Amino acid sequence: MRRARLTFLAAAVLITGAAPQAAAERLITSLSQHRVMVTSSFTGSEVVLFGGIERENGQLPPHGSYDIAVTVAGPRQDIVVFRKERVLGIWVNYDSRVFDNVPSYLSVLTNRPLDAMAGAETLRRLQIGLDNIPLPQRSDHGAADPTGDEPFRAAFLKLKEDHQLYRQESNGVTFLTPALFRASLPLPAEVPIGTYEVDVTLFADGAPIARTPSALEIYKAGFEQIVTTSAQTHGLIYGIITAMMAILTGWFASVVFRRD
């Protein structure tokens, strides 16, 4: 009996010693700037994200064993998309859809194509990629539909991509070393004001193994911010001053260009 017990313990030790210890990964990210100021001369900007992968055992990961997906989502808002049709020779807004609480800005950056990084179900569950972002829509009098009409969804994505507010780049993330990477986050001139969510997901062998969030703020400054704040907080006074300025401008123009 004692010999059988010793034999079992020896086998357990051998199995434990042969099993490799799992190395837990941790993501560390940082932005080149966390606040971007928008003025009247703003023509766009670029924020650089730097990141690193840490392993508990201290070993460096093998080259090419990881994939990174960076998703940047701007403030959410309701956006209306119209479909025009020709009626009696005139183009009119024939139908419309309201996209409820969708990101005003969306950028998806990866180190290689998404379908090569993970399966479709995994990407859909994590909502990574323009095709996997929920865009609920409704008609003017209907309830929100999580799937919606595909023509309106395609038109919405095209309009956003034309204004450089939605984008997906399969080479937007660059690995500097097996454990260090960088990504450039482009901000067009029409970028909305507000707080942006920056989400970085680490994949290994098609499975997500780490995820870290951060934030980026885009704000107005200068005279534009004063005007915006006044219009929002003192609407009546702002309207009266605007009307008076329009009247004075018209009167001044009539005096300057008056013919004797």
Side-chain angles (χ1 to χ4, degrees):
M1 185 70 176
R2 184 176 180 182
R3 180 179 301 176
R5 183 181 300 173
L6 291 176
T7 304
F8 174 77
L9 290 175
V13 171
L14 288 175
I15 294 175
T16 305
Q21 294 183 352
E25 287 82 355
R26 187 164 67 98
L27 271 174
I28 302 174
T29 60
S30 178
L31 296 171
S32 59
Q33 52 182 327
H34 289 271
R35 303 188 72 201
V36 177
M37 183 175 63
V38 175
T39 61
S40 58
S41 59
F42 182 78
T43 58
S45 181
E46 187 177 79
V47 176
V48 180
L49 180 141
F50 295 95
I53 305 169
E54 275 192 354
R55 310 184 85 191
E56 284 187 353
N57 58 11
Q59 296 180 357
L60 290 176
H63 181 71
S65 61
Y66 291 135
D67 290 308
I68 292 290
V70 180
T71 302
V72 185
R76 293 183 174 271
Q77 56 185 209
D78 295 344
I79 302 176
V80 183
V81 175
F82 294 95
R83 184 180 69 185
K84 293 183 178 291
E85 285 195 6
R86 198 178 185 89
V87 178
L88 299 177
I90 302 175
W91 287 99
V92 296
N93 294 329
Y94 184 79
D95 196 4
S96 66
R97 290 292 184 276
V98 180
F99 287 82
D100 284 320
N101 198 33
V102 296
S104 57
Y105 173 92
L106 186 62
S107 183
V108 182
L109 310 174
T110 58
N111 61 298
R112 57 176 179 157
L114 278 173
D115 55 1
M117 292 171 47
E121 182 60 33
T122 299
L123 297 175
R124 190 179 304 110
R125 175 170 52 84
L126 298 176
Q127 299 182 5
I128 297 178
L130 297 185
D131 294 336
N132 301 309
I133 295 294
L135 298 176
Q137 52 182 281
R138 59 178 169 84
S139 61
D140 293 337
H141 306 288
D145 183 0
T147 57
D149 293 339
E150 187 59 32
F152 277 95
R153 178 187 173 94
F156 173 81
L157 291 176
K158 185 179 185 305
L159 288 173
K160 284 292 190 178
E161 290 173 351
D162 290 344
H163 288 82
Q164 299 181 353
L165 294 175
Y166 275 33
R167 68 175 64 208
Q168 181 170 312
E169 299 181 7
S170 58
N171 57 350
V173 178
T174 302
F175 273 93
L176 307 176
T177 69
L180 297 176
F181 60 90
R182 72 184 297 274
S184 297
L185 313 180
L187 302 175
E190 300 181 16
V191 65
I193 306 301
T195 302
Y196 286 60
E197 300 175 356
V198 182
D199 186 90
V200 183
T201 306
L202 174 66
F203 290 87
D205 298 326
I209 58 175
R211 199 169 188 177
T212 180
S214 58
L216 170 68
E217 181 185 4
I218 299 178
Y219 67 100
K220 282 185 179 180
F223 180 73
E224 294 84 356
Q225 181 59 30
I226 296 176
V227 173
T228 302
T229 303
S230 301
Q232 294 176 348
T233 58
H234 307 286
L236 179 59
I237 298 176
Y238 174 80
I240 294 174
I241 294 176
T242 302
M244 292 179 61
M245 290 180 60
I247 295 172
L248 290 175
T249 302
W251 172 81
F252 181 75
S254 66
V255 171
V256 172
F257 297 101
R258 181 173 56 190
R259 296 181 179 179
D260 296 331

